[in-house]
Amino acid sequence: MSRSRVYQWCTWFGEGRTSLGDEPKSGPPKTSTNEENTTRVDELIRCDRRMRIREIAFKLEIPKSTVHEIVHDTLGYRKVSTRWVPKTLTEDHKLQRVEISHGDEDTTHIGVGPGGDFQANNNLFDNLITGDETWVHLNTPETKRDSMTWKHPSSPVTKKFKVQRSAAKVMASVFWDAKGVILLDILPQGQGQARYCSTLDRLKEAIRRKRSGLLRRGVVLQHDNATPHSVNLTQQWLQRYGWEILPHPAHSPDLASSDFHLFGPLKRHLGGMTFKTEDDLISELRNWFNNLDVDFFRVGINSLLSRWQKCIDLHGDYVEK
């Protein structure tokens, strides 16, 4: 504030002013922001949720600034994009999601009890390992949102050319728990049932080396219902070593820790990067996983409880990411 402005304020307070707020302005009172126009605006929006401010102003013959005030301040509307969901859930799907979120007191499955309280068998989260697969490309374009920059009115307009993901890619199978990544396995394209059992053999050896005592206490594994995970060969492997499966409803990436917590940040990290060879890409994956703080993994595992609760509150509908 300039020196002259300070003097001016001192003069005003010396003359009896007691507030820093704006003084009431003279002129005719507002007539457009009234109950009648508010009702008309609300009716138009309810008839067409995609109608724009200028279209409403044109139809009602009132200023756009008035429509903006009615829509946002008086009616409390805000414009949002349609939320993407993986699949249209049937009533059976929703019922299955709710039942699994509630959990089963007779098994090691934790969940939200019928009374609404969280319930968990002793140390289950300490024994829980979650795993899933994702495609990783040698060239992953940076998203438009991630490339946003601060712009001054006088700054030149920035441009971003559309880039396609490379055809060269690898499938990364990641198994992790509340302490960090236990196994990163790179799978060949077109993996079969026997290949997933081989991955589980590697996981078992990695647990023996990195999580002392976990094999003795009993592993609880969370993976989705993909064919290699649910075939008889895999089920026989799990029964042979006494591993418990944490039930997972179909079409539910919002209830899988890898999908809602791990793979999103991974893809954003890789955005804009280009790798010459698969070995370079795999090396970057390992470095990124190793540099993550242990709290990142703990939050991802523990957030399952709150997501189960939200799923129940929404009667089985998708939990917003």
PDB file of all heavy atoms in Angstrom, residues 95-113:
ATOM      1  N   LEU A  95     -25.049 -56.268  -4.813  1.00  0.00           N
ATOM      2  CA  LEU A  95     -25.245 -57.079  -3.614  1.00  0.00           C
ATOM      3  C   LEU A  95     -23.966 -57.810  -3.233  1.00  0.00           C
ATOM      4  O   LEU A  95     -23.599 -57.876  -2.046  1.00  0.00           O
ATOM      5  CB  LEU A  95     -26.375 -58.078  -3.852  1.00  0.00           C
ATOM      6  CG  LEU A  95     -26.698 -59.028  -2.688  1.00  0.00           C
ATOM      7  CD1 LEU A  95     -27.127 -58.240  -1.458  1.00  0.00           C
ATOM      8  CD2 LEU A  95     -27.787 -60.018  -3.093  1.00  0.00           C
ATOM      9  N   GLN A  96     -23.248 -58.332  -4.228  1.00  0.00           N
ATOM     10  CA  GLN A  96     -21.986 -59.024  -3.960  1.00  0.00           C
ATOM     11  C   GLN A  96     -20.955 -58.056  -3.375  1.00  0.00           C
ATOM     12  O   GLN A  96     -20.226 -58.407  -2.434  1.00  0.00           O
ATOM     13  CB  GLN A  96     -21.448 -59.647  -5.250  1.00  0.00           C
ATOM     14  CG  GLN A  96     -20.156 -60.433  -5.048  1.00  0.00           C
ATOM     15  CD  GLN A  96     -19.492 -60.808  -6.363  1.00  0.00           C
ATOM     16  OE1 GLN A  96     -19.496 -60.029  -7.306  1.00  0.00           O
ATOM     17  NE2 GLN A  96     -18.934 -62.014  -6.415  1.00  0.00           N
ATOM     18  N   ARG A  97     -20.903 -56.843  -3.901  1.00  0.00           N
ATOM     19  CA  ARG A  97     -19.951 -55.850  -3.396  1.00  0.00           C
ATOM     20  C   ARG A  97     -20.250 -55.498  -1.939  1.00  0.00           C
ATOM     21  O   ARG A  97     -19.337 -55.359  -1.120  1.00  0.00           O
ATOM     22  CB  ARG A  97     -19.996 -54.597  -4.273  1.00  0.00           C
ATOM     23  CG  ARG A  97     -19.315 -54.768  -5.620  1.00  0.00           C
ATOM     24  CD  ARG A  97     -19.699 -53.648  -6.594  1.00  0.00           C
ATOM     25  NE  ARG A  97     -19.447 -52.321  -6.041  1.00  0.00           N
ATOM     26  CZ  ARG A  97     -18.277 -51.692  -6.101  1.00  0.00           C
ATOM     27  NH1 ARG A  97     -17.242 -52.281  -6.696  1.00  0.00           N
ATOM     28  NH2 ARG A  97     -18.125 -50.487  -5.588  1.00  0.00           N
ATOM     29  N   VAL A  98     -21.518 -55.355  -1.609  1.00  0.00           N
ATOM     30  CA  VAL A  98     -21.895 -55.033  -0.230  1.00  0.00           C
ATOM     31  C   VAL A  98     -21.557 -56.185   0.707  1.00  0.00           C
ATOM     32  O   VAL A  98     -21.019 -55.981   1.808  1.00  0.00           O
ATOM     33  CB  VAL A  98     -23.394 -54.685  -0.157  1.00  0.00           C
ATOM     34  CG1 VAL A  98     -23.845 -54.576   1.304  1.00  0.00           C
ATOM     35  CG2 VAL A  98     -23.670 -53.383  -0.886  1.00  0.00           C
ATOM     36  N   GLU A  99     -21.873 -57.416   0.300  1.00  0.00           N
ATOM     37  CA  GLU A  99     -21.600 -58.580   1.150  1.00  0.00           C
ATOM     38  C   GLU A  99     -20.109 -58.733   1.420  1.00  0.00           C
ATOM     39  O   GLU A  99     -19.695 -59.020   2.553  1.00  0.00           O
ATOM     40  CB  GLU A  99     -22.164 -59.838   0.492  1.00  0.00           C
ATOM     41  CG  GLU A  99     -23.690 -59.899   0.470  1.00  0.00           C
ATOM     42  CD  GLU A  99     -24.210 -61.121  -0.273  1.00  0.00           C
ATOM     43  OE1 GLU A  99     -23.394 -61.751  -0.992  1.00  0.00           O
ATOM     44  OE2 GLU A  99     -25.404 -61.430  -0.136  1.00  0.00           O
ATOM     45  N   ILE A 100     -19.293 -58.549   0.387  1.00  0.00           N
ATOM     46  CA  ILE A 100     -17.847 -58.680   0.578  1.00  0.00           C
ATOM     47  C   ILE A 100     -17.308 -57.535   1.424  1.00  0.00           C
ATOM     48  O   ILE A 100     -16.397 -57.718   2.240  1.00  0.00           O
ATOM     49  CB  ILE A 100     -17.140 -58.745  -0.795  1.00  0.00           C
ATOM     50  CG1 ILE A 100     -17.455 -60.082  -1.475  1.00  0.00           C
ATOM     51  CG2 ILE A 100     -15.636 -58.560  -0.652  1.00  0.00           C
ATOM     52  CD1 ILE A 100     -16.847 -60.248  -2.839  1.00  0.00           C
ATOM     53  N   SER A 101     -17.872 -56.344   1.269  1.00  0.00           N
ATOM     54  CA  SER A 101     -17.433 -55.202   2.078  1.00  0.00           C
ATOM     55  C   SER A 101     -17.771 -55.403   3.550  1.00  0.00           C
ATOM     56  O   SER A 101     -17.049 -54.944   4.438  1.00  0.00           O
ATOM     57  CB  SER A 101     -18.069 -53.910   1.563  1.00  0.00           C
ATOM     58  OG  SER A 101     -17.633 -53.614   0.250  1.00  0.00           O
ATOM     59  N   HIS A 102     -18.892 -56.072   3.830  1.00  0.00           N
ATOM     60  CA  HIS A 102     -19.253 -56.352   5.219  1.00  0.00           C
ATOM     61  C   HIS A 102     -18.269 -57.324   5.854  1.00  0.00           C
ATOM     62  O   HIS A 102     -18.021 -57.256   7.065  1.00  0.00           O
ATOM     63  CB  HIS A 102     -20.666 -56.941   5.289  1.00  0.00           C
ATOM     64  CG  HIS A 102     -21.727 -55.905   5.425  1.00  0.00           C
ATOM     65  ND1 HIS A 102     -21.752 -54.983   6.448  1.00  0.00           N
ATOM     66  CD2 HIS A 102     -22.817 -55.643   4.655  1.00  0.00           C
ATOM     67  CE1 HIS A 102     -22.794 -54.199   6.315  1.00  0.00           C
ATOM     68  NE2 HIS A 102     -23.458 -54.560   5.234  1.00  0.00           N
ATOM     69  N   GLY A 103     -17.718 -58.246   5.079  1.00  0.00           N
ATOM     70  CA  GLY A 103     -16.767 -59.200   5.618  1.00  0.00           C
ATOM     71  C   GLY A 103     -17.449 -60.425   6.193  1.00  0.00           C
ATOM     72  O   GLY A 103     -18.670 -60.549   6.225  1.00  0.00           O
ATOM     73  N   ASP A 104     -16.623 -61.338   6.666  1.00  0.00           N
ATOM     74  CA  ASP A 104     -17.106 -62.619   7.201  1.00  0.00           C
ATOM     75  C   ASP A 104     -16.360 -62.907   8.495  1.00  0.00           C
ATOM     76  O   ASP A 104     -15.140 -63.074   8.499  1.00  0.00           O
ATOM     77  CB  ASP A 104     -16.870 -63.738   6.183  1.00  0.00           C
ATOM     78  CG  ASP A 104     -17.494 -65.061   6.614  1.00  0.00           C
ATOM     79  OD1 ASP A 104     -17.950 -65.147   7.763  1.00  0.00           O
ATOM     80  OD2 ASP A 104     -17.496 -65.985   5.787  1.00  0.00           O
ATOM     81  N   GLU A 105     -17.089 -62.959   9.586  1.00  0.00           N
ATOM     82  CA  GLU A 105     -16.452 -63.179  10.881  1.00  0.00           C
ATOM     83  C   GLU A 105     -15.831 -64.569  11.017  1.00  0.00           C
ATOM     84  O   GLU A 105     -14.995 -64.809  11.867  1.00  0.00           O
ATOM     85  CB  GLU A 105     -17.474 -62.977  12.006  1.00  0.00           C
ATOM     86  CG  GLU A 105     -17.992 -61.536  12.085  1.00  0.00           C
ATOM     87  CD  GLU A 105     -19.009 -61.365  13.185  1.00  0.00           C
ATOM     88  OE1 GLU A 105     -19.421 -62.398  13.765  1.00  0.00           O
ATOM     89  OE2 GLU A 105     -19.401 -60.225  13.462  1.00  0.00           O
ATOM     90  N   ASP A 106     -16.263 -65.503  10.150  1.00  0.00           N
ATOM     91  CA  ASP A 106     -15.766 -66.882  10.268  1.00  0.00           C
ATOM     92  C   ASP A 106     -14.471 -67.110   9.506  1.00  0.00           C
ATOM     93  O   ASP A 106     -13.913 -68.195   9.535  1.00  0.00           O
ATOM     94  CB  ASP A 106     -16.830 -67.860   9.763  1.00  0.00           C
ATOM     95  CG  ASP A 106     -18.103 -67.801  10.607  1.00  0.00           C
ATOM     96  OD1 ASP A 106     -17.973 -67.502  11.810  1.00  0.00           O
ATOM     97  OD2 ASP A 106     -19.194 -68.033  10.051  1.00  0.00           O
ATOM     98  N   THR A 107     -14.001 -66.097   8.768  1.00  0.00           N
ATOM     99  CA  THR A 107     -12.767 -66.257   8.008  1.00  0.00           C
ATOM    100  C   THR A 107     -11.816 -65.144   8.377  1.00  0.00           C
ATOM    101  O   THR A 107     -12.094 -64.313   9.231  1.00  0.00           O
ATOM    102  CB  THR A 107     -13.052 -66.214   6.491  1.00  0.00           C
ATOM    103  OG1 THR A 107     -13.433 -64.886   6.133  1.00  0.00           O
ATOM    104  CG2 THR A 107     -14.146 -67.177   6.107  1.00  0.00           C
ATOM    105  N   THR A 108     -10.684 -65.125   7.716  1.00  0.00           N
ATOM    106  CA  THR A 108      -9.726 -64.046   7.957  1.00  0.00           C
ATOM    107  C   THR A 108     -10.123 -62.767   7.254  1.00  0.00           C
ATOM    108  O   THR A 108      -9.449 -61.762   7.369  1.00  0.00           O
ATOM    109  CB  THR A 108      -8.331 -64.457   7.453  1.00  0.00           C
ATOM    110  OG1 THR A 108      -8.424 -64.774   6.062  1.00  0.00           O
ATOM    111  CG2 THR A 108      -7.812 -65.643   8.213  1.00  0.00           C
ATOM    112  N   HIS A 109     -11.214 -62.794   6.488  1.00  0.00           N
ATOM    113  CA  HIS A 109     -11.635 -61.593   5.757  1.00  0.00           C
ATOM    114  C   HIS A 109     -12.082 -60.518   6.737  1.00  0.00           C
ATOM    115  O   HIS A 109     -12.974 -60.721   7.549  1.00  0.00           O
ATOM    116  CB  HIS A 109     -12.782 -61.946   4.813  1.00  0.00           C
ATOM    117  CG  HIS A 109     -13.334 -60.758   4.095  1.00  0.00           C
ATOM    118  ND1 HIS A 109     -14.602 -60.735   3.591  1.00  0.00           N
ATOM    119  CD2 HIS A 109     -12.785 -59.547   3.813  1.00  0.00           C
ATOM    120  CE1 HIS A 109     -14.831 -59.569   3.008  1.00  0.00           C
ATOM    121  NE2 HIS A 109     -13.740 -58.836   3.136  1.00  0.00           N
ATOM    122  N   ILE A 110     -11.487 -59.376   6.643  1.00  0.00           N
ATOM    123  CA  ILE A 110     -11.922 -58.236   7.432  1.00  0.00           C
ATOM    124  C   ILE A 110     -12.937 -57.464   6.632  1.00  0.00           C
ATOM    125  O   ILE A 110     -13.078 -57.610   5.431  1.00  0.00           O
ATOM    126  CB  ILE A 110     -10.736 -57.320   7.785  1.00  0.00           C
ATOM    127  CG1 ILE A 110     -10.142 -56.733   6.518  1.00  0.00           C
ATOM    128  CG2 ILE A 110      -9.696 -58.054   8.549  1.00  0.00           C
ATOM    129  CD1 ILE A 110      -9.025 -55.789   6.788  1.00  0.00           C
ATOM    130  N   GLY A 111     -13.671 -56.617   7.312  1.00  0.00           N
ATOM    131  CA  GLY A 111     -14.665 -55.812   6.621  1.00  0.00           C
ATOM    132  C   GLY A 111     -15.357 -54.900   7.594  1.00  0.00           C
ATOM    133  O   GLY A 111     -14.881 -54.655   8.696  1.00  0.00           O
ATOM    134  N   VAL A 112     -16.520 -54.408   7.190  1.00  0.00           N
ATOM    135  CA  VAL A 112     -17.307 -53.534   8.030  1.00  0.00           C
ATOM    136  C   VAL A 112     -18.446 -54.354   8.597  1.00  0.00           C
ATOM    137  O   VAL A 112     -19.226 -54.939   7.854  1.00  0.00           O
ATOM    138  CB  VAL A 112     -17.853 -52.348   7.216  1.00  0.00           C
ATOM    139  CG1 VAL A 112     -18.624 -51.408   8.110  1.00  0.00           C
ATOM    140  CG2 VAL A 112     -16.697 -51.611   6.552  1.00  0.00           C
ATOM    141  N   GLY A 113     -18.543 -54.435   9.900  1.00  0.00           N
ATOM    142  CA  GLY A 113     -19.555 -55.266  10.532  1.00  0.00           C
ATOM    143  C   GLY A 113     -20.962 -54.788  10.255  1.00  0.00           C
ATOM    144  O   GLY A 113     -21.182 -53.650   9.829  1.00  0.00           O
TER     145      GLY A 113
END
